[in-house]
Amino acid sequence: MSRALPAVALLLGAAGCGAGGIGGGAAGAGGGAAIVRVPQDTASLRTAVERVRPGGLVLVSPGVYRESVTVAKPRVVVRGTDRNKVVVDGEFQRANGITVTGAGSVVENLTVRNHLANGVLFTGVTDEKLQAGRAGGSAYDPLDTVKFPPLKGFRASYVTAYDNALYGIYAFDARSGVIERSYASGQADSGIYVGQCRPCDTVVRHNTMEHNAVGLEVTNASERLYLLGNRASHNRVGLTLNSNDLEALGPQHGAVVTGNAFTDNNDDQSPEQADGGFGIGVGAGGARGNVLERNLITGNRAAGVLLSDVQGYPARDNTVRANEITRNGTDLVLATATQAGNCFTANAESTTSPGRIPGTESCGTGTVSAAPTTPPLGHASPVAAPPGISFQDVPPPPPQRSLPRARTAPPSPATGLPGKVDPGRFALPPRVTAPVSEMLPPPGDGGDGQGDRSAGATASP
């Protein structure tokens, strides 16, 4: 499993908080402009963020913007007019593309690439002194969540993130958010990451992740966290659910994973993962009380679903039911010291390790044996992980669908998120053979029968 490399040591650039002039944008209350257009009003994203008022819109026209920017004001929407042609490029020199510390702010309809840490970062961490060290390693200090309360309210919609050294879209110490309809490839750690939040109150939905070390990663992120209708294919690992002591708020628990596809995660043309994981659909290390239901998990050479104890955290009380888990090296693997309330049922599996996994008789009842049994330790099928390639060498992705009405839709800050969430509406994904980039919902349809919600993204999934 991934080490869940915490990128907080590289999080923040200099925050631009000046009021500035309106630069041709429409004037508004709050000491700035209601709309700042780039490059029409100013050539710089950073200057645009300085000039816009809280609750305003930074509207960015096509171009390659070689700068990092921090959105520290609340309820600001940073939107590209063309997802594929508005590019924030780190040139393999800068840490982060867009860092959001302002509550309720949004990044949508643009591309972030070639950064030494993250493409887009949402975080409550605002102390720049914490940036002195490097990400990960024994010197990492789990951040004090009282001193640094989580960012409340964030949204990433229609974002393309590729070839970043850590994470494509990263929510750390952040809650009450949505990550949706985005694409991530070529990240050296994970395409989309949610870490250190409790309760998270966050939905990750309708995203596509491929050619990353890990497609979707969750570490110490718990309670009211929903991963719905995503596709993680052709990574080295599809999804990880991790507990560890590198971040605060362990253990990870209480996520709902429904209606996703974790398929063919055996990509040798992807960055090599820090801990060498390869060929795994879903790996849960020390995770507790999660529900995996109605997911398609197939074609992963080592394991479809792997539950294991890690770093003193037992994997317990997880429910794996009504999935299609087939044609993996080993479909279900329980590598825990005790049965501990984990249960598996109706998953269409043909291979398990150990040969008979206990716990199916009480699946879904919430009952944990007072004296749990001690099953044999399960093992994934042996797979030699091939050498990875540099994240800098992963080819750019194909064009992705843009946000409808990007030039004209009013800004919708990330307030009141995630709204009502109904995982029951997400069915088992069908088997598909089309390229992943062609499987996004068409414009005008969020993929869930509710029509287009891109401008607001506040309705339930």
Side-chain angles (χ1 to χ4, degrees), residues 13-251:
C17 300
I22 63 173
I35 302 176
V36 180
R37 296 173 176 85
V38 183
Q40 294 86 346
D41 299 329
T42 174
S44 166
L45 291 174
R46 183 176 300 172
T47 303
V49 168
E50 292 173 351
R51 292 180 178 181
V52 75
R53 67 177 173 117
L57 172 65
V58 174
L59 190 62
V60 188
S61 292
V64 177
Y65 298 89
R66 296 175 174 87
E67 56 181 320
S68 294
V69 60
T70 294
V71 182
K73 295 178 183 178
R75 305 181 309 283
V76 169
V77 174
V78 178
R79 178 194 299 164
T81 60
D82 186 307
R83 176 178 179 175
N84 303 294
K85 295 180 180 180
V86 175
V87 179
V88 180
D89 189 351
E91 302 178 286
F92 303 117
Q93 298 177 18
R94 289 174 285 279
N96 300 310
I98 302 175
T99 299
V100 177
T101 61
S105 289
V106 170
V107 178
E108 60 187 13
N109 208 49
L110 48 75
T111 293
V112 285
R113 70 184 185 195
N114 303 346
H115 294 91
L116 297 179
N118 312 292
V120 176
L121 168 66
F122 299 98
T123 186
V125 179
T126 55
D127 188 344
E128 295 183 22
K129 294 179 181 179
L130 295 173
Q131 303 168 51
R134 291 196 173 272
S138 60
Y140 177 67
D141 181 18
L143 293 178
D144 184 340
T145 55
V146 175
K147 182 177 181 180
F148 300 104
L151 172 72
K152 188 171 182 180
F154 66 92
R155 176 166 59 85
S157 302
Y158 292 87
V159 171
T160 297
Y162 72 92
D163 294 5
N164 299 289
L166 284 175
Y167 312 118
I169 301 173
Y170 184 23
F172 177 87
D173 193 33
R175 56 172 295 186
S176 302
V178 169
I179 301 172
E180 63 180 359
R181 301 180 183 90
S182 292
Y183 176 95
S185 69
Q187 270 65 232
D189 200 300
S190 54
I192 295 177
Y193 184 114
V194 181
Q196 191 175 293
C197 53
R198 185 179 70 215
C200 293
D201 285 321
T202 292
V203 173
V204 180
R205 63 190 180 201
H206 300 311
N207 301 288
T208 298
M209 297 137 285
E210 55 182 351
H211 311 306
N212 306 282
V214 180
L216 177 57
E217 186 167 355
V218 170
T219 299
N220 291 6
S222 306
E223 302 174 15
R224 301 197 293 275
L225 173 62
Y226 303 90
L227 314 179
L228 306 173
N230 302 287
R231 180 170 295 277
S233 299
H234 306 292
N235 306 281
R236 296 174 87 86
V237 178
L239 164 67
T240 61
L241 301 167
N242 303 316
S243 299
N244 67 32
D245 291 324
L246 294 175
E247 298 181 6
L249 304 181

Side-chain angles (χ1 to χ4, degrees), residues 270-282:
S270 60
E272 186 171 5
Q273 190 187 16
D275 284 350
F278 184 82
I280 299 171
V282 177

Side-chain angles (χ1 to χ4, degrees), residues 391-459:
F391 75 97
Q392 299 183 21
D393 295 333
V394 177
Q400 304 294 311
R401 289 195 175 108
S402 280
L403 172 83
R405 305 185 302 279
R407 295 179 180 273
T408 58
S412 180
T415 56
L417 295 182
K420 182 181 178 182
V421 180
D422 181 9
R425 294 172 54 195
F426 284 78
L428 181 74
R431 289 181 178 273
V432 292
T433 58
V436 173
S437 60
E438 297 178 7
M439 294 185 290
L440 299 176
D445 186 354
D448 49 23
Q450 296 300 299
D452 179 68
R453 296 193 306 272
S454 54
T458 57

